[in-house]
C-alpha cells in the first residue's frame, strides 16, 4: 500500500485501536534499528575469528538486509524498509555520523602528526598520489562505460570523487587492525599510524573539494554551475577552518580547563556547550556548501588533547554513538548497495579494474617510497597492505557521491564492494607477510642465576593497571635496589585494555606522543602520563634507570605483549599486580579489625586475573605477583632512605623448591638495603611427614579452577634437598649479620602461616609459588583454592577472609625446561616427586 510521506505520523495509537505500528515513523525506526544492530552484531561475532574489524560486519549486514539479498523480497522491503522511511533512518544515522566524526577529530592529534617526521609524510604522500592518479584514469573509463550521455556527471567532480575513493586510508580501522595484530608497538605500526593520520587529513581536504565541485548534483549539475560558486565554497571552507583553529580553539582550551573533572565529575554545562558546538559547526559547513560532517570533524580538532576533558567527553557519548547510531549509517550504505545492478561482463570487469587499481596504486606507491627511505622490503610491502585499509571515510565519500548524484547505483555498488574487499584482505595478508616472532621462550637469567658481584644491571619489568599501583610498586622496587655496583633498570609497563570503544585509539595517540610508539622518554622534565608521573621523582634518586612503556591490547592477548617486552628488554623478573587490591590509607594494618572496610578488596576484574595466569605460564623469566595491602602507604616510608631508620620489614617464608629458592634470593637482595629489615623463617618437615609419602592425583577437568598446579617433571628429592640446603648456607654466609633467621617445625602449617600474616611485625611477606612442592606444601593440595595461581601458601596469605595485614609477594622461578604444569587434587599417604601416568608422589 503506497504512503504519502507528508501523511506519515510519528507514533501509532496501538494495535488495539487498529493501527499497524509499522505504518508509523517512530515504531518502524525502532524495528529497523533493532534489526540492524542484531544482524551486524551477529556478523561481528562470526567475523571475529578472522580478525576482521567491526565495520566489515556492519556493511555486510546492510548489504544482506538491502536489495542485494533479503530485499529481493518486495513484501519485506515495503514493510521493513519502505522508501518513505529511508530519509528518517538516514537522518538518525547522520546524527550518529556527525558525532562520530567529531570523535575522530578529537582523537586526531595534529601535534603528533607534525612530530612523525619526513618518512611517514613521504609514505603518506605516495600512498595518496599514485592511487589518486590511477583513480582519475579509471574514472574516465567508468564514466564512458557505466553512464549514459544524459546522466553523466561533470568531469571535475567525478574525477575527484573517484580519486578520493581509491586513495584514502581509514585511520580508526587501521589502528584497530594494528592492535589486533600486535603491531602497534613495532616500528611498522608507528609509521603506518602516522602515515594514516596524514592521509586522513588529506582525505578531508580532498572530500571538501569534491563536495564543493559537486554542488547540488543533478544531470550535468556540475557543468551548468558557475566555477565561481565552487571557488566561493572552497574559500569559505578554508575561512571556516582558519576561524575554528584561530578563534574557537583557544575558547575550547578555556572550556576544557573550566570543565575539567572535579571529584571525577565533568561539569554538565560545558559538555552541553561542546555538544551544541558540534551541531552548530555541522550547520555552518552545510550552509557553506560542504557536508555537515566536515564541520563536526574540524570542531573535534579544536578540543585540547592533553587534558581529562576530551577523554571524559568521549566516554559520555561514544557508546551511544558507536554502538547504536553508527551501525545505522553503515547499514544504510549497505541498503543502498544493490549488487544485482552489476550486470554483465563489462560491469564485473569494471569491478575487477577498480579493485586492482585501488590495491596496486596504494600498495605500489607506499612500497616504492618506503624502500626509498630505507624500510626493509618485507616491512615496506606490509605497510602497503596496511595503508590499503578502507572503512568509514570511504563510505562517507561514496554516500555523499550518491547523494550528489555523482555516482549512480552501479558505480556505488562497485565502490562499496571494493572497500569491503580491500579491508577484508588486510588482516590475513599482513599476518601472512609479516608476523613478528613471539613466544620463543629463550632462557633469560633468573635472580639466582645472576651474579651480584658483576657490574651487569638487574633488569625488572614492573606492570601496573593505574595510579593505585604506583606507590606500592615504587616501595617494592626501592627495597630491591641494591647499594652495590649492580644497577637496577626498571621498565614500567602501563597495561591498558583495548576495547571496541573508539576512545581506545586516543590511548594509542597519547602513547605515541614522542613519535615512538610506546616507549616514552622524559622531555624537558615533562612526563606524558599521569600513571608514570610518580616515577619521575623516583628516577632522580639515582641508581635506578626508569623506562616507562604503555601496552594497549585486548585482555586475552595482553600476556603476549608482557612476555614479548620481557624478552626484548632481557629482564630478569616480571612484577605483576594482583587482580585484587585493598584500599589502605594508613599503615600497620590498623584498618583490619573484624573484617572491617579495609578488608574488602577492590577487584579490577577476572580478565586481569587471567592475564596474570597466562604470564605465569608463558613468561621467559621469573615472575612475582604483588598482592598489595598498602605497601608504600606507611608515613615512615616517605622519610629519608639513608639507613637512619628501618622503613620496611620483610619476611621470607622458606619451605624448599626452586620457587622458594628464588624468593630467598630476592630476600637477600632486599637485605642489602640499609632501610629494609629481612627475617627468614624456614619451615622444617615434621617427623610424621618424613615417614609418610604424599601422592597427588590430577584434578578432574571441571574442578581445575579450584585446584593448585604443580609441574609435570621428574625431580630427585635428594637433589632438591641438597639445592635447598646449599641455597640456605649461601644465604646465611652472605647475610648472617643483616638478617634474622628462624626455623620452625609446626604441627599445623596453616595456623602458623596465618599467625605470621595476622601479626603486625611485617610490611611484606615473600613466598615461593611452590610448583615443585616440599612435602609440607604438597600436604595442602587438597584445600579448596581461592587463588590457585598463587600456590598453596600464597593463596592462604592472599585470601580476603583471613584478615592478613602485610602485602604478599608470590615468586615463581623461570621454568627452564618449560614443561607443562598440571592441576592436582586428592592426597593419599603412600610412597619421590614425579609424575608417572598422572600421579605425583612426594
Amino acid at each position: 500500500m503506497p504512503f504519502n510521506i507528508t501523511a506519515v505520523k510519528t507514533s501509532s495509537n496501538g494495535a488495539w485501536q487498529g493501527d499497524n505500528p509499522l505504518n508509523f515513523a517512530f515504531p518502524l525506526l525502532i524495528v529497523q534499528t533493532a534489526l540492524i544492530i542484531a544482524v551486524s552484531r551477529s556478523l561481528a561475532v562470526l567475523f571475529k575469528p578472522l580478525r576482521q574489524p567491526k565495520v566489515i560486519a556492519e556493511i555486510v549486514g546492510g548489504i544482506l538486509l538491502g536489495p542485494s539479498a533479503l530485499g529481493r523480497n518486495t513484501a519485506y522491503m515495503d514493510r521493513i524498509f519502505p522508501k518513505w522511511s529511508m530519509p528518517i533512518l538516514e537522518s538518525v544515522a547522520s546524527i550518529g555520523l556527525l558525532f562520530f566524526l567529531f570523535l575522530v577529530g578529537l582523537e586526531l592529534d595534529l601535534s603528533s602528526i607534525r612530530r612523525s617526521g619526513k618518512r611517514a609524510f613521504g609514505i603518506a604522500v605516495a600512498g595518496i598520489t599514485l592511487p589518486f592518479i590511477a583513480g582519475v584514469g579509471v574514472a574516465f573509463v567508468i564514466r564512458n562505460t557505466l553512464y549514459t550521455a544524459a546522466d553523466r556527471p561533470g568531469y571535475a567532480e567525478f574525477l575527484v570523487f573517484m580519486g578520493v575513493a581509491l586513495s584514502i586510508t581509514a585511520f580508526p580501522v587501521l589502528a584497530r587492525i594494528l592492535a589486533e595484530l600486535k603491531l602497534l608497538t613495532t616500528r611498522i605500526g608507528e609509521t603506518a599510524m602516522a602515515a594514516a593520520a596524514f592521509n586522513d587529513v588529506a582525505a578531508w581536504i580532498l572530500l571538501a573539494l569534491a563536495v564543493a565541485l559537486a554542488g547540488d548534483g543533478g544531470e550535468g549539475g556540475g557543468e551548468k554551475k558557475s566555477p565561481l560558486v565552487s571557488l566561493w565554497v572552497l574559500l569559505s571552507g578554508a575561512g571556516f577552518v582558519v576561524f575554528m583553529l584561530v578563534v574557537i580553539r583557544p575558547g575550547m582550551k578555556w572550556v576544557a580547563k573550566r570543565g575539567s573533572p572535579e571529584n571525577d565529575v565533568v561539569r554538565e554545562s560545558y559538555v552541553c556547550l561542546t555538544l551544541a558546538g558540534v551541531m552548530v559547526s555541522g550547520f555552518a559547513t552545510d550552509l557553506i556548501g560542504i557536508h555537515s560532517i566536515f564541520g563536526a570533524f574540524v570542531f573535534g580538532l579544536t578540543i585540547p588533547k592533553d587534558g581529562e576533558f576530551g577523554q571524559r567527553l568521549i566516554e559520555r557519548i561514544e557508546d551511544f554513538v558507536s554502538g547504536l547510531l553508527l551501525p545505522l549509517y553503515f547499514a544504510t550504505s549497505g541498503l543502498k548497495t544493490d549488487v544485482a545492478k552489476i550486470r554483465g561482463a563489462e560491469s564485473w570487469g569494471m569491478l575487477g579494474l577498480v579493485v586492482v587499481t585501488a590495491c596496486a596504486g596504494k600498495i605500489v606507491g607506499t612500497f616504492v617510497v618506503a624502500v626509498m627511505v630505507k624500510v626493509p622490503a618485507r616491512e615496506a610491502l606490509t605497510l602497503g597492505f596496511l595503508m590499503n585499509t578502507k572503512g568509514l571515510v570511504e563510505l562517507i565519500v561514496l554516500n555523499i557521491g550518491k547523494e550528489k548524484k555523482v555516482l549512480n547505483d552501479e558505480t556505488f555498488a562497485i565502490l562499496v564492494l571494493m572497500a569491503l574487499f580491500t579491508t577484508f584482505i588486510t588482516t590475513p595478508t599482513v599476518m601472512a607477510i609479516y608476523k613478528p616472532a613471539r613466544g620463543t621462550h629463550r632462557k633469560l637469567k633468573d635472580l639466582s642465576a645472576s651474579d651480584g658481584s658483576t657490574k651487569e644491571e638487574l633488569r625488572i619489568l614492573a606492570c601496573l593497571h593505574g595510579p593505585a599501583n604506583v606507590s606500592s610498586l615504587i616501595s617494592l622496587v626501592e627495597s630491591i635496589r641494591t647499594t652495590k655496583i649492580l644497577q637496577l633498570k626498571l621498565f614500567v609497563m602501563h597495561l591498558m585494555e583495548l576495547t571496541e570503544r573508539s576512545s581506545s585509539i586516543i590511548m594509542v595517540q597519547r602513547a605515541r606522543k614522542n613519535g615512538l610508539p610506546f616507549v616514552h622518554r622524559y622531555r624537558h622534565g615533562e612526563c606524558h602520563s599521569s600513571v608514570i608521573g610518580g616515577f619521575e621523582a623516583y628516577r632522580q634518586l639515582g641508581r635506578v634507570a626508569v623506562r616507562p612503556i604503555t601496552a594497549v591490547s585486548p585482555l586475552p592477548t595482553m600476556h603476549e605483549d608482557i612476555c614479548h617486552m620481557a624478552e626484548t628488554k632481557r629482564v630478569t623478573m616480571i612484577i605483576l599486580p594482583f587482580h585484587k587490591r585493598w584500599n589502605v590509607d594508613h599503615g600497620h594494618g590498623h584498618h583490619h579489625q573484624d573484617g572491617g572496610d579495609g578488608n574488602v578488596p577492590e577487584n579490577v576484574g577476572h580478565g586481569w586475573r587471567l592475564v596474570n595466569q597466562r604470564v605465569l605460564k608463558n613468561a621467559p623469566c621469573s615472575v612475582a605477583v604483588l598482592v598489595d595491602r598498602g605497601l608504600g602507604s606507611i608515613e615512615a616510608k616517605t622519610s629519608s632512605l639513608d639507613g637512619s631508620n628501618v622503613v620496611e620489614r620483610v619476611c621470607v617464608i622458606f619451605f624448599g623448591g626452586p620457587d622458594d629458592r628464588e624468593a630467598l634470593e630476592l630476600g637477600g637482595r632486599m637485605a642489602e638495603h640499609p632501610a629494609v629489615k629481612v627475617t627468614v623463617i624456614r619451615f622444617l618437615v615434621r617427623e610424621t611427614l618424613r615417614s609418610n609419602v604424599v601422592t597427588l592425583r590430577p584434578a578432574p577437568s571441571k574442578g581445575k579452577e579450584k585446584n593448585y598446579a604443580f609441574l609435570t617433571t621428574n625431580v630427585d628429592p635428594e637433589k632438591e634437598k641438597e639445592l635447598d640446603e646449599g641455597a640456605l648456607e649461601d644465604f646465611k654466609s652472605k647475610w648472617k649479620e643483616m638478617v634474622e633467621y628462624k626455623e620452625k617445625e609446626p604441627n599445623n602449617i596453616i595456623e602458623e602461616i596465618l599467625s605470621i600474616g595476622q601479626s603486625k611485625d611485617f610490611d611484606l611477606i615473600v613466598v615461593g609459588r611452590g610448583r615443585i612442592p616440599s612435602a609440607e606444601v604438597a600436604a595442602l593440595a587438597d584445600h579448596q583454592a581461592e587463588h590457585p595461581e598463587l600456590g598453596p601458601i600464597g593463596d592462604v596469605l592472599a585470601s580476603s577472609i583471613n584478615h592478613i595485614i602485610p602485602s604478599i609477594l608470590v615468586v615463581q622461578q623461570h621454568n627452564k625446561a618449560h614443561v607443562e604444569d598440571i592441576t592436582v587434587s586428592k592426597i593419599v599417604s603412600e610412597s619421590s616427586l614425579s609424575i608417572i601416568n598422572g600421579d605425583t608422589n612426594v
Side-chain angles (χ1 to χ4, degrees), residues 86 395 405 548 633:
M86 295 315 287
L395 287 176
K405 309 228 172 77
S633 64

Side-chain angles (χ1 to χ4, degrees), residues 306-361:
D306 47 4
E308 283 287 303
F309 182 69
Q311 184 68 34
R312 294 302 171 95
L313 206 58
I314 287 174
E315 287 170 5
R316 288 282 185 95
I317 63 174
E318 72 169 346
D319 283 340
F320 183 68
V321 171
S322 304
L324 187 72
L325 299 183
L326 200 64
L328 298 187
Y329 186 80
F330 290 120
T332 55
S333 302
L335 286 164
K336 290 179 201 164
T337 308
D338 188 358
V339 178
K341 296 276 185 188
I342 309 174
R343 291 195 193 96
E346 201 172 60
S347 293
W348 285 103
M350 285 296 117
L351 174 61
L353 177 67
V354 168
V355 169
V356 169
T357 308
C359 294

Side-chain angles (χ1 to χ4, degrees), residues 407-611:
L407 304 176
N408 62 15
D409 288 347
E410 197 172 352
T411 314
F412 181 79
I414 285 171
L415 292 173
V416 168
L417 291 179
M418 179 272 291
L420 264 179
F421 177 78
T422 52
T423 307
F424 197 90
I425 64 167
T426 301
T427 305
T429 314
V430 170
M431 285 178 76
I433 299 173
Y434 183 87
K435 191 74 175 115
R438 299 256 175 191
T440 54
H441 300 302
R442 183 180 68 224
K443 172 70 181 84
L444 299 175
K445 281 188 175 179
D446 49 42
L447 283 172
S448 46
S450 303
D451 181 5
S453 63
T454 64
K455 290 188 180 180
E456 185 192 349
E457 61 191 357
L458 174 64
R459 300 162 81 89
I460 289 177
L461 175 64
C463 303
L464 46 81
H465 299 143
N469 305 123
V470 173
S471 63
S472 58
L473 195 56
I474 288 178
S475 184
L476 176 61
V477 172
E478 173 58 28
S479 65
I480 300 170
R481 181 175 71 93
T482 176
T483 52
K484 286 193 176 176
I485 302 167
L486 181 80
Q487 280 213 337
L488 179 66
K489 185 153 192 176
L490 177 65
F491 298 93
V492 181
M493 196 174 205
H494 183 197
L495 308 177
M496 301 175 87
E497 182 184 3
L498 180 81
T499 65
E500 286 190 350
R501 300 166 73 103
S502 59
S503 63
S504 302
I505 310 306
I506 212 165
M507 298 196 293
V508 176
Q509 288 292 354
R510 285 181 175 177
R512 289 183 60 253
K513 277 274 182 174
N514 60 339
L516 288 169
F518 286 93
V519 182
H520 302 266
R521 293 183 191 280
Y522 296 101
R523 299 179 310 141
H524 315 300
E526 173 194 6
C527 180
H528 294 302
S529 166
S530 59
V531 174
I532 57 171
F535 289 94
E536 171 67 348
Y538 179 59
R539 183 176 70 99
Q540 291 169 358
L541 277 172
R543 308 192 61 76
V544 179
V546 179
R547 193 75 183 274
I549 302 161
T550 306
V552 181
S553 185
L555 288 188
T557 56
M558 180 74 79
H559 68 284
E560 290 179 20
D561 281 6
I562 297 169
C563 296
H564 180 66
M565 191 56 70
E567 213 164 303
T568 308
K569 302 298 181 187
R570 305 186 314 284
V571 303
T572 306
M573 178 175 275
I574 299 169
I575 299 174
L576 298 170
F578 192 51
H579 68 283
K580 291 180 182 175
R581 185 184 170 277
W582 281 256
N583 291 311
V584 186
D585 25 26
H586 45 76
H588 292 281
H590 298 304
H591 54 295
H592 292 281
Q593 296 297 327
D594 305 314
D597 289 341
N599 220 10
V600 179
E602 172 194 341
N603 195 329
V604 293
H606 185 66
W608 290 107
R609 181 186 182 184
L610 294 176
V611 170

